[in-house]
Amino acid sequence: MSRVRVLHFVTGGFSGGATQVALQLVNAARSSEVIEPLLVLRRKRHTPKARLDALRGEGVPLRLVPGWSHLATIPALVRICRKFQPDVLVAHGFSEHLWGRYAGLLAQVPHLVHVEHNTRERYTSWRWAQTRWLARRTDRIVGCSEGVRQALLAMGMPPERTLAIPNGINLAPFVDAEAHPFAARTPGIVMVARFSRQKDHASLLRALALLRQRGLRVPLQLPGGGKALHRAPLEKLAAQLGITEQVQFPGIVNDVPQRLLSHQICVLSTHYEGMPLALLEGMAAGCAVIGSAVPGVREVFADGEEGLLVPESDPEALANALERLLRHPQDAARMAAKGRQAAFERYGRALMNQRYEALFLELGGGTNA
């Protein structure tokens, strides 16, 4: 039996988790004896050429299709499908899952998979109608967390073909987390997130100001990219709240694991999520974690045992949770240890790769006999 050919189609923007997950699955399959992968990126205006060159230099099987219009995207992807002849086409994220599956249908790809990476997307009534039409012609619809699966079911996706495969993280940078004792770490906060409407940095800044009123001057690091349109108002807010000297905006950094390993607390204040990889990394690093209780986050850990959940957009509740961890470090260390164990048991990339490989073999394993 020859290998099952799997084509992953995703945005070439590199700004979200969808591209990272697709790239990870392709890289994992490169050494597989049963999967032959291909990554196809929909080119965007800001797709970095240096990143593409680096991927090619690493040997990633990569093709590009134009992204200026779906009328250009679909025919180009059809041509690639007819040449590669995938057994399974995996269309990741919004709106690529539409154009990818249209191309798959036109190219007569035997099996289609839609992977949804968020609990909230920019669905119009027209795109919702297209999604439901395509769902009837799609073998599996995958949510990157149980929260996303529930959102898909609420949209009317077929329950018998809708499943959850949680995203996984690279655990390797965190295997020596126990060499960084909780008590020896900086009693400060790290929130790794891009600056966008989705993320709720503002509530965290307001919570920090409340802590200052309670006598707790806590350092905060906010590494992440994103547009100045979203970052500048937060820098202004920090100044208005009088906490500028406590807050660092380092931008995009290459040492996220080291920052997490040296701090006690990791926060993800957000309005919606698919699967919060940054929060999982905080857990794996042995941080005590706090997350907004939104779908995609609240399923990740046991509240009060492996971390703390707080209501969305509630600075006072977030301040209370932070104060609890800061004033009761032994309790925080206990939760951090349990959270780290959960991350290693449930959210490693190897487990994610195994689950997707099993799905691809289930769908395409009989097509190449």
Side-chain angles (χ1 to χ4, degrees):
M1 180 180 292
S2 60
R3 292 190 296 171
V4 174
R5 291 183 293 274
V6 181
L7 186 154
H8 293 268
F9 175 61
V10 70
T11 176
F14 291 99
S15 60
T19 307
Q20 301 310 315
V21 169
L23 179 58
Q24 168 58 28
L25 292 172
V26 168
N27 278 330
R30 287 167 58 193
S31 59
S32 171
E33 296 180 352
V34 293
I35 303 291
E36 179 182 351
L38 176 65
L39 178 65
V40 180
L41 299 178
R42 186 181 185 212
R43 186 189 288 274
K44 299 295 184 69
R45 287 194 303 271
H46 54 281
T47 297
K49 183 179 182 300
R51 184 73 179 274
L52 298 175
D53 291 342
L55 292 177
R56 292 189 179 102
E58 294 164 8
V60 175
L62 172 66
R63 296 291 299 276
L64 296 177
V65 295
W68 58 270
S69 168
H70 62 266
L71 295 177
T73 298
I74 294 172
L77 184 54
V78 168
R79 289 192 292 272
I80 292 173
C81 287
R82 287 174 176 164
K83 183 175 181 180
F84 181 63
Q85 295 187 342
D87 303 298
V88 182
L89 186 151
V90 189
H92 293 265
F94 185 87
S95 59
E96 279 71 20
H97 74 75
L98 299 175
W99 325 130
R101 285 184 288 171
Y102 281 133
L105 289 172
L106 290 170
Q108 297 183 323
V109 175
H111 302 286
L112 302 180
V113 176
H114 162 201
V115 183
E116 190 86 345
H117 288 270
N118 229 322
T119 54
R120 190 187 305 175
E121 291 290 5
R122 303 179 303 279
Y123 281 102
T124 62
S125 58
W126 170 231
R127 288 192 172 179
W128 189 6
Q130 293 179 74
T131 299
R132 287 182 292 180
W133 185 87
L134 286 164
R136 296 194 293 271
R137 294 154 178 85
T138 301
D139 294 83
R140 295 291 186 274
I141 301 166
V142 180
C144 69
S145 69
E146 178 58 28
V148 175
R149 187 183 81 89
Q150 292 298 328
L152 289 166
L153 293 176
M155 289 175 60
M157 298 299 101
E160 70 279 6
R161 286 181 279 124
T162 303
L163 66 151
I165 300 181
N167 285 350
I169 59 169
N170 181 13
L171 296 171
F174 308 108
V175 292
D176 66 342
E178 293 180 351
H180 303 264
F182 189 86
R185 300 182 180 200
T186 299
I189 306 162
V190 178
M191 175 168 156
V192 183
R194 72 182 186 280
F195 296 96
S196 67
R197 291 187 181 92
Q198 176 183 353
K199 310 300 182 181
D200 187 16
H201 295 83
S203 287
L204 180 54
L205 293 176
R206 292 189 173 96
L208 204 69
L210 290 173
L211 290 177
R212 182 165 179 152
Q213 294 173 11
R214 302 174 190 180
L216 292 169
R217 296 170 63 94
V218 188
L220 168 64
Q221 293 194 14
L222 298 174
K227 297 179 179 179
L229 169 70
H230 301 296
R231 173 174 166 164
L234 294 168
E235 294 173 329
K236 183 177 179 180
L237 177 61
Q240 292 172 342
L241 294 170
I243 56 171
T244 298
E245 73 280 5
Q246 294 173 239
V247 184
Q248 294 182 26
F249 293 85
I252 297 174
V253 299
N254 297 318
D255 62 347
V256 167
Q258 290 73 24
R259 291 172 189 259
L260 292 171
L261 289 166
S262 65
H263 284 76
Q264 291 185 347
I265 300 173
C266 172
V267 170
L268 180 61
S269 181
T270 183
H271 297 299
Y272 59 93
E273 288 294 319
M275 171 58 86
L277 299 180
L279 195 64
L280 296 182
E281 290 186 341
M283 293 167 62
C287 298
V289 298
I290 300 174
S292 301
V294 298
V297 175
R298 60 188 179 214
E299 302 87 2
V300 167
F301 58 79
D303 184 27
E305 292 295 321
E306 300 164 344
L308 295 176
L309 293 171
V310 298
E312 177 192 357
S313 303
D314 191 334
E316 185 171 1
L318 181 51
N320 292 341
L322 287 166
E323 185 174 12
R324 173 181 171 181
L325 296 179
L326 291 164
R327 294 199 188 278
H328 303 281
Q330 290 183 336
D331 191 33
R334 175 187 60 81
M335 279 189 274
K338 288 188 175 182
R340 181 171 185 269
Q341 181 180 359
F344 272 76
E345 289 179 354
R346 303 199 294 261
Y347 301 117
R349 280 183 177 175
L351 182 57
M352 178 189 75
N353 295 337
Q354 291 169 12
R355 289 168 170 165
Y356 273 104
E357 182 177 281
L359 173 61
F360 301 151
L361 292 178
E362 176 192 349
L363 295 176
T367 62
N368 281 4

